Amino acid sequence: MGDVTAADPRALARRIAERFALVPEVVAFVVAGSLAAGTADAHSDVDGYCYQSAAVPVSVRRAIAAEFADQAEIDNRFWETGDEWVDRASGTHCDIMYRAPDWLSDQLDRAVVRHEASVGYSSCLWYNILHSTALHDPTGWYAVLQARAAVPYPEPLRRAIVAKNHPILRANVSSYRRQIALALLRDDPISVQHRLTAVLASYFDILCAVNRQPHPGEKRLLAFAERQCPLRPPTMAADMRQMLAAGATRDDAVLAHLDRVLDGLDALLADEGLLPDT
């Protein structure tokens, strides 16, 4: 990761990894995000993943957090099991998540071996494996997993993601478009926003698959698409911004903007020979 100063989040991540390396249940400790990408600065967070052969006792996790912070949220269960604190020396936010190695290995197989799609975010864990850096991996387990993940994008997965996500955009009876239209009739702005968010989850799942790119997650997707997805509708970003603005103001034009977004996606799928029969 290069030379760093004590205030650099990469140095902090190393110190945290060294502390977890002393815990017998820890198989590997890796970091993701800007730390793994080599773009970290003094404002970057530490996103750490602790892979454990058995659950690290909460008391041990609390003791580790106390070495770095005066206060910590221990054993959060809102998403993945995790601990969060703000490092007292640097003010850096630290988010440590706990996972089972067998679970992650199966999630990789789900994408690259079994080619199973989800409704949105089908290949995010594959991306997470590829774009993390191991700071503690004494048995080489994580290195082997990353090597297994470094494969070309499977064509069956590409097609499965389109087949899973495309019909619910506007083809099915209970499509997101129909749900948005009903929400507008009922003057239900929360439902409009909820279904637009679902549209975007499936849209970007499809777009990443078309471009044979594992999905990077929910943040900075337009910027990711501009960098990594050359196959994309030419007015995608502008169309999406207009769609979201109309949705936020309960403007009935949201449906017209939504159709423009989805028309662009359909044209792309047709060009790639991926447009499902409707």
Side-chain angles (χ1 to χ4, degrees), residues 173-192:
V173 172
S174 296
S175 70
Y176 295 142
R177 189 195 188 282
R178 182 173 184 274
Q179 293 179 48
I180 292 168
L182 290 174
L184 289 168
L185 289 173
R186 294 167 178 155
D187 191 25
D188 187 351
I190 293 174
S191 183
V192 171

Side-chain angles (χ1 to χ4, degrees), residues 62 78 108:
R62 184 173 286 112
F78 303 110
L108 177 61

Side-chain angles (χ1 to χ4, degrees), residues 6-177:
D8 193 299
R10 292 170 291 187
L12 174 59
R14 281 201 183 97
R15 294 198 299 275
I16 295 172
E18 288 168 358
R19 184 61 184 83
F20 274 99
L22 301 177
V23 179
E25 293 89 350
V26 174
V27 173
F29 188 91
V30 310
V31 292
S34 60
L35 296 184
T39 58
D41 58 26
H43 304 288
S44 297
D45 294 345
V46 172
D47 292 318
Y49 294 88
C50 180
Y51 292 98
Q52 49 188 10
S53 58
V56 176
V58 170
S59 59
V60 172
R61 291 156 49 186
R62 184 173 286 112
I64 292 174
E67 296 178 20
F68 295 91
D70 297 322
Q71 293 182 324
E73 294 179 1
I74 302 299
D75 208 31
N76 283 335
R77 300 292 181 104
F78 303 110
W79 295 280
E80 296 187 68
T81 299
D83 305 330
E84 294 188 58
W85 67 78
V86 175
D87 179 59
R88 69 169 63 89
S90 63
T92 299
H93 175 256
C94 302
D95 187 0
I96 311 301
M97 287 152 279
Y98 299 87
R99 291 173 169 175
D102 289 347
W103 173 82
L104 187 66
S105 179
D106 183 68
Q107 291 301 308
L108 177 61
D109 286 347
R110 188 178 191 274
V112 304
V113 176
R114 302 197 300 270
H115 312 134
E116 297 174 7
S118 304
V119 176
Y121 306 104
S122 296
S123 55
C124 283
L125 287 166
W126 180 19
Y127 181 96
N128 181 254
I129 293 167
L130 287 169
H131 296 276
S132 294
T133 297
L135 301 182
H136 172 66
D137 186 25
T139 67
W141 166 78
Y142 199 80
V144 170
L145 188 73
Q146 277 193 316
R148 234 177 7 99
V151 295
Y153 201 105
E155 184 63 19
L157 176 64
R158 188 174 182 240
R159 294 183 176 275
I161 289 172
V162 175
K164 182 84 168 182
N165 286 272
H166 184 268
I168 57 176
L169 292 174
R170 61 177 172 181
N172 283 9
V173 172
S174 296
S175 70
Y176 295 142
R177 189 195 188 282

Side-chain angles (χ1 to χ4, degrees), residues 224-263:
F224 178 84
E226 290 174 353
R227 292 194 316 271
Q228 302 293 340
C229 298
L231 301 174
R232 64 180 188 271
T235 60
M236 178 189 72
D239 291 342
M240 282 191 172
R241 292 182 190 280
Q242 291 174 341
M243 176 186 73
L244 293 171
T249 58
R250 289 176 288 168
D251 185 343
D252 287 351
V254 65
L255 292 176
H257 293 304
L258 171 60
D259 283 334
R260 188 154 49 247
V261 167
L262 298 182
D263 286 346

